[in-house]
């Protein structure tokens, strides 16, 4: 296996979108995917990129991806990296692609003087939880993720 982790380029947008859909299917959330490859390309590679992507390949064959962006810790006074999505195709799991993607993200965090690397995982996804813990990740059980979207987001904005 000739595993390579590389930065995504605009031409990868359809592949990245396919991986996003595959991840959503695995998480039983495919109905939540509203974007498309063209819009994703604009967000990733347009004039104001909002996120970055790494692609894992084996001899040029794509195995998975990691989509991430910077956040900021006011307590640390430094940026961090937030991993939004990590996905390795089922047939490629157990070959080191997931660990290689996370290791590259950790290296980027250090190179960019980030205080930490963070992500969320669904409570039922015990294979992923076990994998993450084997790498030294610790759950942040005392925190609850909150979200405002859709009509609630519009209503909140209108209350300005």
């Amino acid at each position: 296996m000739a595993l390579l982790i590389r930065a995504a380029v605009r031409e990868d947008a359809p592949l990245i979108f396919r991986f996003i859909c595959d991840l959503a299917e695995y998480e039983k959330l495919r109905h939540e995917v509203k974007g498309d490859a063209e819009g994703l390309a604009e967000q990733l590679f347009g004039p104001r990129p909002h996120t970055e992507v790494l692609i894992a390949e084996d001899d040029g064959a794509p195995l998975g991806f990691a989509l991430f962006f910077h956040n900021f810790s006011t307590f640390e006074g430094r940026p961090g990296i937030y991993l939004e999505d990590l996905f390795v195709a089922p047939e490629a799991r157990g070959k080191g692609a997931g660990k290689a993607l996370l290791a590259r993200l950790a290296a980027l965090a250090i190179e960019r003087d980030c205080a930490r690397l963070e992500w969320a995982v669904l409570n039922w996804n015990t294979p992923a939880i076990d994998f993450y813990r084997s790498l030294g990740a610790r759950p942040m059980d005392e925190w609850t993720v909150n979200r405002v979207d859709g009509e609630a987001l519009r209503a909140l904005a209108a209350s300005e």
Side-chain angles (χ1 to χ4, degrees):
M1 182 161 170
L3 189 59
L4 170 71
I5 305 299
R6 64 171 178 83
V9 295
R10 182 177 280 276
E11 293 74 28
D12 290 317
L15 169 67
I16 297 164
F17 186 71
R18 189 189 83 212
F19 279 147
I20 290 169
C21 292
D22 291 348
L23 173 62
E25 192 72 37
Y26 173 76
E27 292 180 340
K28 302 170 183 60
L29 296 170
R30 180 61 179 94
H31 61 282
E32 297 280 341
V33 177
K34 295 176 177 54
D36 57 37
E38 295 78 28
L40 182 64
E42 187 62 21
Q43 295 298 322
L44 293 173
F45 307 105
R48 188 173 173 215
H50 295 282
T51 187
E52 299 174 64
V53 175
L54 297 175
I55 304 285
E57 294 180 341
D58 176 18
D59 287 327
L63 304 178
F65 82 117
L67 186 144
F68 65 99
F69 52 89
H70 285 275
N71 56 14
F72 190 83
S73 170
T74 55
F75 289 4
E76 294 278 351
R78 293 169 46 210
I81 289 180
Y82 187 83
L83 172 61
E84 179 66 25
D85 285 335
L86 175 71
F87 179 76
V88 174
E91 63 276 8
R93 292 182 188 151
K95 297 180 180 178
K99 183 176 181 182
L101 285 163
L102 285 168
R104 183 65 191 127
L105 282 172
L108 282 174
I110 291 168
E111 290 168 19
R112 296 175 183 187
D113 192 33
C114 294
R116 56 192 176 208
L117 169 60
E118 299 178 300
W119 63 91
V121 60
L122 290 165
N123 293 335
W124 60 260
N125 194 349
T126 53
I129 292 167
D130 293 344
F131 170 63
Y132 298 146
R133 287 193 180 159
S134 77
L135 299 176
R138 59 185 172 88
M140 304 298 290
D141 295 333
E142 66 275 12
W143 294 89
T144 300
V145 174
N146 288 272
R147 178 179 294 165
V148 178
D149 61 2
E151 188 53 42
L153 180 63
R154 287 185 284 283
L156 180 58
S159 72
E160 177 182 46

